[in-house]
Amino acid sequence: MRTSKTALLLLIGLLLAVAGLGALWLVDPAVFRDQIEARASKAFGRPFRIEGAIDLERSLRPRIILHGITIANTDWAAEKYFARADEVAVQVALIPLLFGELQVLDVRFGGMELFTEIRPDGANNFTFGDSDDRRATQRLPSIERLLVRDAVIQHRLARGKLDRYEITQAQLWNIPGEPERIEAQGS
């Protein structure tokens, strides 16, 4: 009896994996554009747009690549966008995803511009959503590797001084069981 239950569970697991892989190879990632934009806009509390293509690298560790993303800024901020990026890519583990667990393996940003700002009254443009929403915010999944290439971060302090940071490349690793590491180049 125990052998038949184990065989049945293995068969169900195999069918789920085959169905997940089949869907992954057949789906056009562009059909999710509106859903991605709507969920991200809700999470940020301001418009999020994907102005370019959406690509999908298909594997057991699929990677979705968004080209030309923008996140709008607050009404009072000096710049139109809080962030712009030529490319944002997110890689996940497929098998855990089929069982409802989001395991983010890799996040990459390329050609990114980020503009942060603090007003004299202490308000900033990098706290997202309403104060009521912030209390209900879900915890983000851990990310094993983060890569940032060709980024510019500008930060305007309340007194009007603008600091500019350029990142040629920065990598951060947060792999379970290993020490966290950071390597960066820039000015």
Side-chain angles (χ1 to χ4, degrees), residues 40-140:
S41 293
K42 183 177 180 186
F44 287 115
R46 52 185 94 154
F48 174 95
R49 298 288 173 253
I50 305 166
E51 297 173 353
I54 300 175
D55 296 323
L56 180 62
E57 293 176 0
R58 294 163 170 87
S59 74
L60 288 176
R61 299 169 66 150
R63 182 186 321 269
I64 188 163
I65 305 163
L66 310 175
H67 299 275
I69 68 108
T70 60
I71 303 169
N73 219 335
T74 57
D75 317 7
W76 56 264
E79 296 293 322
K80 181 177 179 180
Y81 297 112
F82 168 74
R84 286 189 299 204
D86 293 338
E87 182 178 288
V88 175
V90 178
Q91 184 179 41
V92 298
L94 180 62
I95 302 301
L97 189 61
L98 294 175
F99 293 97
E101 179 190 343
L102 179 60
Q103 184 179 0
V104 179
L105 304 172
D106 185 80
V107 176
R108 298 178 183 185
F109 296 95
M112 184 175 74
E113 295 178 354
L114 182 66
F115 187 86
T116 61
E117 188 169 354
I118 300 175
R119 290 192 318 199
D121 66 2
N124 66 63
N125 70 335
F126 50 87
T127 301
F128 299 102
D130 297 331
S131 59
D132 293 336
D133 292 344
R134 274 186 248 130
R135 280 185 232 121
T137 300
Q138 294 180 351
R139 187 171 180 247
L140 293 173

Side-chain angles (χ1 to χ4, degrees), residues 16-28 32 56 58 98:
L16 279 172
V18 168
L21 287 172
L24 184 66
W25 262 268
L26 296 174
V27 72
D28 174 11
F32 298 107
L56 180 62
R58 294 163 170 87
L98 294 175

